[in-house]
């Protein structure tokens, strides 16, 4: 084991000066060193996707990335989606309106995945989005309401009624 | 408000990532616990040496069984048959390990990483013994007299015990006489049905964070789920504290489905360590641990024998099943076996019935309940039998079912047996009506014709369906307190628990309906033993019925109290007042009104004394029930089989379900859809498999396959309210489990149809290799 090394992380526009062991995962650093516990750990082997965050805009399993690898990148977590305390991100709003969550544990991973994907692929259609959603696991909803929420969010983000 | 598709009040917090799940409680100075688990399925413990772990910087303590030898085995919460006591699990293994994953030692360290490092240094010296894995095989020697006596904890000596923990028979009528003297044209039809071992697997693994607050002299346990009140009593007893010194608090819970929230060895270790070490203790299970440590379920093998008239009416059913219990009997006692037995007849009359249950130990992870316990298994067995009866008699499977249904005019229908310790009375239902409605809404005759045409064109497409009865709303009680503060804000405090299903929203809707306010203005407090005195828990689909009715009663009492105070203050009779918009107003002159806040202020202790009322605008409500309520439904599937891979694709899945009264149809549909997805997992993908030496082969999400968005079709639902429950004030029946119950049965029937091979599928999950075998 080696001792902690200093690390600067940029998360949701804020700068965090922390010190981590090289083996510390990005997920643990976000949760425990930055206090951002909205990123959840569901399997710690990269399958379930609950820990998904955006690193420089790309969806990443934060359980499979070391915190030190995120140095000088821009990280976005579920806490960084909503613009303010009053309003939700369109994906969050769509999940609320379409019962896209039950227990809410996998939800941050889905929200971040979808927000990231729709920002890069605003015209994505249903079949493509279903395949994107299949990268994460949910045990409560049976996925249909997540897909419906995603389609609604896509329309909202395109400015359609 | 009741019946509205109201948005959930839980969601804004969860959507922002602001929830507090078990791992999200982070306390300064906390120690992390790591469990050292048995790497072998069966063996004698020669020694466990924690010294190397203790020498590691950051490791604070490490325990083996010797350090907790005074603790008894973990007790039963439900169905506590005396036979089962010797099979209870010790908190840490003593003398013998009995499954891969059994806790043998624990290490406490200043970080989760160091705790894991320390755990790897613990030296286990184990003598392997042969693993017994086949519950169908004849029972083997299991416990010596010393272990049996210790685990039972009865204070007297017990003899050695074999691997059949218990066997019992549930029966009515006279099965032997019926089979001995069959009428003319009667047939005996037999079938065999197996359900693979699988379980709930919530997305959040288990976890607990406990601290002993020396200032308050309280042991605070965060991260509880499902049954916090029961666990408070159990934890207090284990830690040698009176219950008033233990606060068990449910925070957010990342899915339950049965396994999560029961009292496990780890829960005892975390809380005991908080008391002993006087440091905050945290334990967060990882997924690999979860798949070997948290309750498995479902592994059952059924053999059924029916005496059937030529018209398909079942005259007698003689059944037996073996439940693969795994290595110990945990908190559920004999619940799953008991429910399998009592719910096996389902929607059918079956005048003569007998079922023999055998609960048998194997060197696998212990088993407990999973969503629709006993019914998923029994429904698969029974509905496969009914399909076989139809096939052998050349009758339509719809016709056979309808001829056997308990008729609507026979409701309430008492079956002279018990379910979960209550008399089994189908409280209401019109099974034939639901069958007809589903058929019409989804044009299932057309669907059948369509798949037949596809088959004729060479495709392997099939349709199948199954009917079932669920149960919900077990008592004996639930309570709620509603209080209004001086600003008029309403809080519902109750003993209910949430595992993520939307309890807060539904209870708020019930209160809002009575009080005439918006549901999203209400705060719901639940699952906290420091906030309410009694709660029975979130299981058996009981909360909409039990807590919903308690909240309704509390809200009525609060409304009455508010009206009395307003009547006195406004000088009008109580009958002239109504509630709306957070006010009590004179119905004929709505400008004359008192807000809830004003009434609450009038009821401060001084004012209340003058009004001869108890202080505060607050009221309690209770609901008691001796009987369960019985929702019922129909599942239908359309499948397509890939002849090359043998893979089954579910194209459509249809559910008709009568819930008496849907408090929030969106949430009911959500429960159904999620339940179907889990049912499909058990039907097609999920199974815990073991190597010959008892090594589990499914310990990651690469080998234990949870369905993704690619496997689950849109779930088409018809929620009906044709049979309100007569035994609760809301008329509601629970919606939590009916999405799961008949999935395996319906999919199996559809696969038979696709293959054109009646009775081909007698076990689930339906592996592609099995299909390939049937195709060649």
């Amino acid at each position: 084991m080696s001792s902690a090394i200093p690390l600067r992380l940029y998360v949701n526009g804020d700068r965090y000066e922390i010190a981590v062991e090289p083996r510390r995962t990005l997920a643990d650093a976000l949760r425990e060193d930055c206090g951002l516990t909205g990123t959840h750990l569901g399997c710690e082997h990269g399958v379930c996707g609950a820990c998904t965050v955006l690193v420089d805009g790309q969806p990443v399993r934060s359980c499979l990335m070391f915190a030190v690898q995120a140095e000088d990148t821009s990280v976005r977590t579920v806490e960084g989606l909503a613009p303010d305390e009053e309003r939700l991100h369109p994906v969050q709003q769509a999940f609320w309106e379409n019962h896209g969550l039950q227990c809410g544990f996998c939800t941050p991973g889905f929200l971040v995945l979808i927000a990231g994907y729709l920002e890069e692929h605003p015209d994505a259609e249903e079949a493509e989005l279903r395949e994107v959603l299949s990268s994460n696991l949910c045990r409560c909803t049976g996925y249909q309401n997540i897909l419906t929420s995603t389609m609604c969010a896509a329309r909202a983000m395109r400015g359609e009624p | 408000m009741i019946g509205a598709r109201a948005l959930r009040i839980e969601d804004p917090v969860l959507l922002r990532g602001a929830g507090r799940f078990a791992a999200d409680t982070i306390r300064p100075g906390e120690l992390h616990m790591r469990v050292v688990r048995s790497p072998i399925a069966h063996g004698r413990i020669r020694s466990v040496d924690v010294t190397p772990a203790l020498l590691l910087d950051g490791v604070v303590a490490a325990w083996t069984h010797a350090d907790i030898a005074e603790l008894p085995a973990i007790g039963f919460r439900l169905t506590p048959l005396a036979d089962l006591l010797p099979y209870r699990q010790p908190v840490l293994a003593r003398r013998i390990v009995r499954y891969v994953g059994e806790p043998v030692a624990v290490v406490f360290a200043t970080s989760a990483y160091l705790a894991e490092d320390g755990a790897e240094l613990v030296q286990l010296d184990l003598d392997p013994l042969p693993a017994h894995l086949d519950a169908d095989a004849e029972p083997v020697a299991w416990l010596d007299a010393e272990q049996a006596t210790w685990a039972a904890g009865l204070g007297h000596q017990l003899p050695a015990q074999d691997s059949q923990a218990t066997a019992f028979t549930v029966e009515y009528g006279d099965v032997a006489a019926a089979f001995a003297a069959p009428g003319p044209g009667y047939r005996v039809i037999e079938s065999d049905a197996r359900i693979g071992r699988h379980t709930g697997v919530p997305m959040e693994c288990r976890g607990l964070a406990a601290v002993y607050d020396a200032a308050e002299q309280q042991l605070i346990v965060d991260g509880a789920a499902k049954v916090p009140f029961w666990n408070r009593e159990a934890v207090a007893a284990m830690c040698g504290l009176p219950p008033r010194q233990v606060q068990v608090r449910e925070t957010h819970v990342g899915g339950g489905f049965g396994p999560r929230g029961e009292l496990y060895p780890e829960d005892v270790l975390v809380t005991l360590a908080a008391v002993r070490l006087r440091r905050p203790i945290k334990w967060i299970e990882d997924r690999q641990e979860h798949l070997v440590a948290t309750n498995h379920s479902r592994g059952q093998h059924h053999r059924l024998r029916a005496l059937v008239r030529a018209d398909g009416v079942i005259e007698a059913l003689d059944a037996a099943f073996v439940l693969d219990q795994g290595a110990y009997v945990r908190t559920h006692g004999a619940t799953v076996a008991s429910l399998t037995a009592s719910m096996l007849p389902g929607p059918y009359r079956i005048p003569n019935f007998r079922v023999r249950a055998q609960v048998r130990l194997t060197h696998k992870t212990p088993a407990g309940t999973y969503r629709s316990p006993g019914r998923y298994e029994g429904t698969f067995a029974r509905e496969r039998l009914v399909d076989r009866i139809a096939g052998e008699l050349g009758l339509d499977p719809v016709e056979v079912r309808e001829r056997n249904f308990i008729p609507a005019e026979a409701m309430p229908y008492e079956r002279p047996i018990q379910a979960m310790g209550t008399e089994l009375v189908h409280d209401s239902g019109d099974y034939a009506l639901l069958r007809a409605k589903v058929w019409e809404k989804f044009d299932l005759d057309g669907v059948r014709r369509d798949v037949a045409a596809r088959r004729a064109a060479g495709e392997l497409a099939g349709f199948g369906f199954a009917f079932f009865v669920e149960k919900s709303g077990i008592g004996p009680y639930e309570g709620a307190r509603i209080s209004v503060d001086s600003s008029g804000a309403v809080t519902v405090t109750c003993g209910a628990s949430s595992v993520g299903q939307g309890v807060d929203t539904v209870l708020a809707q019930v209160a809002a309906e009575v009080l005439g306010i918006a549901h999203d203005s209400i705060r719901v407090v639940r699952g906290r033993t420091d906030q309410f005195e009694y709660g029975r828990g979130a299981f058996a689909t009981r909360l909409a019925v039990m807590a919903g009715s308690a909240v309704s009663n509390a809200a009525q009492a609060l409304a009455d109290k508010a009206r009395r105070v307003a009547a006195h203050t406004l000088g009008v009779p109580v009958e002239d007042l109504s509630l709306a918009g957070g006010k009590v107003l004179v119905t004929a002159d709505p400008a004359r009104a008192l807000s809830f806040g004003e009434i609450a202020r009038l009821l401060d202790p001084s004012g209340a004394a003058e009004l001869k009322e108890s202080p505060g605008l607050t009221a309690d409500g209770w609901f008691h029930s001796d009987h369960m309520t019985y929702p019922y439904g129909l599942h239908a599937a359309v499948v397509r089989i890939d002849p090359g891979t043998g893979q089954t694709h579910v194209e459509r899945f249809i559910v008709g379900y009568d819930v008496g009264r849907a408090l929030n149809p969106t949430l009911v549909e959500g429960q159904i859809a999620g339940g179907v997805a889990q049912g499909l997992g058990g039907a097609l993908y999920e199974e815990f498999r073991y190597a010959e030496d008892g090594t589990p082969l499914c310990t990651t999400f690469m080998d234990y396959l949870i369905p993704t968005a690619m496997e689950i079709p849109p779930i088409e639902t018809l929620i009906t309210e044709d049979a309100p429950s007569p035994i609760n004030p809301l008329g509601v029946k629970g919606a939590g489990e009916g999405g799961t119950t008949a999935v395996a049965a319906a999919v199996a029937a559809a696969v038979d149809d696709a293959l054109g091979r009646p009775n081909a599928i007698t076990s689930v999950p339906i592996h592609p290799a099995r299909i390939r075998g049937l195709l060649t």
Side-chain angles (χ1 to χ4, degrees):
Chain A
M1 259 166 312
S2 46
S3 55
I5 55 170
L7 174 67
R8 180 176 299 170
L9 287 181
Y10 294 93
V11 189
N12 304 327
D14 294 327
R15 192 174 73 183
Y16 293 83
E17 303 280 354
I18 60 175
V20 297
E21 281 186 294
R23 64 173 173 171
R24 195 162 187 78
T25 64
L26 177 58
D28 284 347
L30 290 169
R31 291 177 46 79
E32 301 194 14
D33 300 302
C34 304
L36 297 169
T37 55
T39 298
H40 296 154
L41 286 162
C43 74
E44 295 177 272
H45 55 271
V47 180
C48 80
C51 67
T52 302
V53 299
L54 299 177
V55 175
D56 290 336
Q58 295 298 310
V60 160
R61 308 290 210 217
S62 63
C63 73
L64 293 187
M65 185 170 175
F66 292 116
V68 292
Q69 293 175 287
E71 181 142 43
D72 293 329
T73 65
S74 167
V75 180
R76 196 167 171 209
T77 70
V78 66
E79 290 94 339
L81 291 181
D84 54 44
E85 288 295 310
E86 302 301 315
R87 291 172 299 164
L88 295 170
H89 185 281
V91 180
Q92 293 170 317
Q93 186 69 31
F95 266 63
W96 191 15
E97 290 171 3
N98 294 284
H99 193 26
L101 67 156
Q102 289 184 26
C103 80
F105 189 80
C106 72
T107 309
F110 273 101
L111 295 173
V112 170
L113 173 75
I114 295 161
Y117 194 82
L118 290 179
E119 279 165 14
E120 295 212 332
H121 307 87
D123 298 319
E125 291 184 3
E126 180 170 337
E128 177 183 352
L129 289 172
R130 184 182 280 276
E131 195 153 342
V132 170
L133 297 181
S134 75
S135 47
N136 285 17
L137 295 176
C138 168
R139 196 61 163 162
C140 293
T141 64
Y143 301 106
Q144 184 58 37
N145 287 349
I146 295 180
L147 182 61
T148 305
S149 304
T150 305
M151 307 278 289
C152 283
R155 285 195 293 278
M157 288 169 73
R158 289 195 297 262
E160 295 168 18
Chain B
M1 182 45 65
I2 286 181
R5 292 184 177 272
L7 292 187
R8 297 207 326 169
I9 61 176
E10 293 91 336
D11 289 0
V13 165
L14 294 169
L15 287 164
R16 287 174 182 274
R20 186 177 295 126
F21 292 89
D24 301 340
T25 295
I26 298 173
R27 295 190 170 100
E30 69 189 4
L31 297 179
H32 296 257
M33 183 177 92
R34 180 74 184 178
V35 180
V36 180
R37 300 180 182 278
S38 172
I40 61 172
H42 188 203
R44 198 174 308 282
I45 300 174
R46 291 158 66 102
S47 70
V48 180
D49 184 6
V50 299
T51 316
L54 289 168
L55 291 173
L56 184 71
D57 272 354
V59 171
V60 173
W63 300 344
T64 67
H65 185 266
D67 298 289
I68 53 131
E70 73 281 10
L71 293 183
I74 292 179
F76 299 136
R77 183 174 67 79
L78 292 171
T79 328
L81 301 184
D83 290 0
L84 302 175
L85 288 169
Y87 299 89
R88 297 187 302 169
Q89 181 163 8
V91 173
L92 289 171
R94 67 191 289 281
R95 301 193 302 128
I96 303 273
V97 291
R98 294 185 172 81
Y99 63 97
V100 173
E102 177 165 6
V104 178
V106 273
V107 173
F108 301 92
T110 51
S111 81
Y113 289 72
L114 289 170
E116 213 162 322
D117 290 342
E120 285 178 7
L121 296 173
V122 172
Q123 299 290 312
L124 303 184
D125 187 359
L126 307 173
D127 247 354
L129 296 166
H132 175 69
L133 300 174
D134 182 3
D136 275 337
E138 281 304 299
V140 297
W142 189 261
L143 303 173
D144 62 24
E146 193 277 338
Q147 174 73 16
T149 299
W150 175 84
L154 293 168
H156 59 80
Q157 298 287 316
L158 287 180
Q161 311 277 320
D162 71 15
S163 64
Q164 178 152 302
T166 190
F168 56 88
T169 300
V170 172
E171 62 186 321
Y172 60 78
D174 193 337
V175 167
F179 275 94
Y186 282 27
R187 296 264 303 271
V188 173
I189 295 176
E190 299 188 23
S191 72
D192 187 285
R194 268 178 204 275
I195 299 87
R197 181 173 254 258
H198 62 282
T199 192
V201 193
M203 291 317 300
E204 185 194 22
C205 291
R206 290 182 296 141
L208 217 57
V211 60
Y212 188 79
D213 182 329
E216 300 272 357
Q217 298 281 294
Q218 293 279 301
L219 172 63
I220 296 166
V221 183
D222 287 326
K226 185 178 180 179
V227 285
F229 291 85
W230 193 87
N231 284 353
R232 173 188 57 183
E233 303 296 311
V235 161
M238 287 283 207
C239 294
L241 296 169
R244 69 133 199 257
Q245 252 179 295
V246 180
Q247 294 180 24
V248 175
R249 307 192 301 201
E250 175 178 275
T251 47
H252 286 106
V253 177
F257 316 123
R260 186 188 177 86
E262 294 293 327
L263 190 78
Y264 286 88
E266 295 89 348
D267 302 300
V268 176
L269 292 164
V270 169
T271 49
L272 185 66
V275 173
R276 279 194 188 172
L277 302 176
R278 294 296 162 107
R279 298 267 299 261
I281 309 289
K282 185 174 189 176
W283 172 69
I284 302 300
E285 184 181 54
D286 71 29
R287 184 57 65 184
Q288 201 164 8
E289 288 183 289
H290 182 89
L291 293 172
V292 298
T294 299
N295 286 347
H296 289 182
S297 196
R298 300 278 203 251
Q300 284 186 192
H301 182 196
H302 297 246
R303 292 177 184 85
L304 276 64
R305 201 167 143 255
L307 180 69
V308 186
R309 295 190 336 210
D311 61 359
V313 170
I314 302 169
E315 194 62 33
L317 175 60
D318 194 7
F321 67 95
V322 172
L323 186 157
D324 178 353
Q325 173 59 37
Y328 293 99
V329 181
R330 284 182 171 169
T331 51
H332 292 117
T335 301
V336 176
S338 168
L339 279 169
T340 302
S342 53
M343 298 295 288
L344 185 59
Y348 310 126
R349 277 166 306 182
I350 310 180
N352 303 288
F353 172 72
R354 176 169 70 192
V355 58
R356 176 83 174 152
Q358 291 168 295
V359 178
R360 290 179 173 172
L361 284 294
T362 57
H363 291 113
K364 302 176 191 170
T365 299
T369 61
Y370 171 32
R371 199 174 202 168
S372 201
R375 284 91 77 199
Y376 186 85
E377 301 89 326
T379 298
F380 178 70
R382 181 193 64 242
E383 294 298 289
R384 292 275 65 204
L385 171 70
V386 175
D387 283 339
R388 185 180 287 260
I389 290 169
E392 295 203 6
L393 299 180
L395 299 169
D396 187 294
V398 173
E399 211 175 353
V400 174
R401 285 174 171 86
E402 297 215 323
R403 284 179 186 162
N404 283 286
F405 276 159
I406 299 164
E409 55 273 20
M411 296 289 174
Y413 182 83
E414 181 171 359
R415 208 184 282 285
I417 51 177
Q418 296 224 320
M420 291 188 92
T422 65
E423 291 162 350
L424 201 169
V425 183
H426 296 238
D427 51 332
S428 61
D430 189 336
Y431 303 154
L433 177 66
L434 180 67
R435 204 285 306 164
K437 281 188 168 182
V438 173
W439 233 255
E440 188 186 338
K441 177 174 170 71
F442 299 101
D443 183 24
L444 294 186
D445 284 329
V447 170
R448 284 167 117 179
R449 281 194 300 274
D450 179 53
V451 295
R454 288 169 64 188
R455 262 198 315 278
E459 232 186 318
L460 297 178
F463 168 84
F465 76 100
F467 206 94
F468 65 98
V469 170
E470 257 298 338
K471 51 145 217 73
S472 76
I474 185 144
Y477 60 77
E478 211 57 54
R481 177 173 305 132
I482 304 185
S483 48
V484 181
D485 72 10
S486 59
S487 76
V490 175
T491 301
V492 173
T493 307
C494 59
S497 282
S498 174
V499 287
Q501 71 276 52
V503 169
D504 297 7
T505 298
V506 168
L507 297 183
Q509 283 184 257
V510 172
E513 168 94 9
V514 178
L515 300 177
I517 56 177
H519 84 293
D520 57 5
S521 71
I522 297 173
R523 176 171 182 244
V524 177
V525 177
R526 38 88 193 137
R528 295 179 55 139
T529 65
D530 58 331
Q531 299 289 316
F532 202 72
E533 294 75 27
Y534 297 94
R536 299 289 289 190
F539 62 94
T541 303
R542 59 186 298 280
L543 287 174
V545 172
M546 295 303 302
S549 297
V551 167
S552 177
N553 289 342
Q556 294 288 355
L558 185 104
D560 289 345
K561 187 174 186 178
R563 268 195 288 261
R564 287 197 302 274
V565 173
H568 181 270
T569 307
L570 298 173
V572 295
V574 168
E575 308 77 68
D576 292 0
L577 296 169
S578 45
L579 271 63
K583 292 176 182 171
V584 180
L585 43 85
V586 179
T587 312
D589 181 9
R592 294 179 66 199
L594 283 176
S595 72
F596 283 179
E598 288 172 307
I599 296 171
R601 294 196 292 276
L602 287 168
L603 281 167
D604 78 355
S606 309
E610 283 175 30
L611 289 163
K612 296 189 170 53
E613 294 280 357
S614 56
L617 181 49
T618 178
D620 288 4
W622 292 90
F623 183 66
H624 302 266
S625 181
D626 298 332
H627 287 87
M628 292 193 284
T629 176
Y630 294 82
Y632 54 93
L634 186 157
H635 285 183
V638 176
V639 305
R640 177 184 81 254
I641 290 170
D642 182 321
T645 64
Q647 184 65 55
T648 300
H649 300 276
V650 179
E651 296 182 343
R652 291 183 71 182
F653 203 93
I654 292 160
V655 177
Y657 201 43
D658 196 291
V659 294
R661 189 176 185 196
L663 302 181
N664 182 327
T666 299
L667 269 55
V668 171
E669 289 159 5
Q671 285 298 306
I672 302 281
V676 170
Q678 291 192 307
L680 287 173
L684 294 170
Y685 309 105
E686 297 176 36
E687 186 175 25
F688 290 110
R689 311 184 82 171
Y690 288 82
E692 276 180 18
D693 66 354
T695 301
L697 301 177
C698 304
T699 62
T700 73
F701 281 155
M702 307 298 279
D703 340 278
Y704 187 85
L705 302 179
I706 287 180
T708 76
M710 295 303 282
E711 285 79 47
I712 306 298
I715 309 305
E716 303 164 67
T717 52
L718 173 66
I719 306 298
T720 62
E721 300 180 319
D722 291 321
S725 175
I727 64 170
N728 67 68
L730 300 172
V732 64
K733 299 180 179 183
E737 298 176 275
T740 306
T741 319
V743 178
V747 169
V751 170
D752 276 2
D753 191 41
L755 296 170
R757 301 265 300 254
N759 319 316
I761 302 303
T762 58
S763 89
V764 287
I766 305 167
H767 296 294
R770 167 78 182 138
I771 302 280
R772 291 275 303 142
L774 289 164
L775 285 171
T776 51

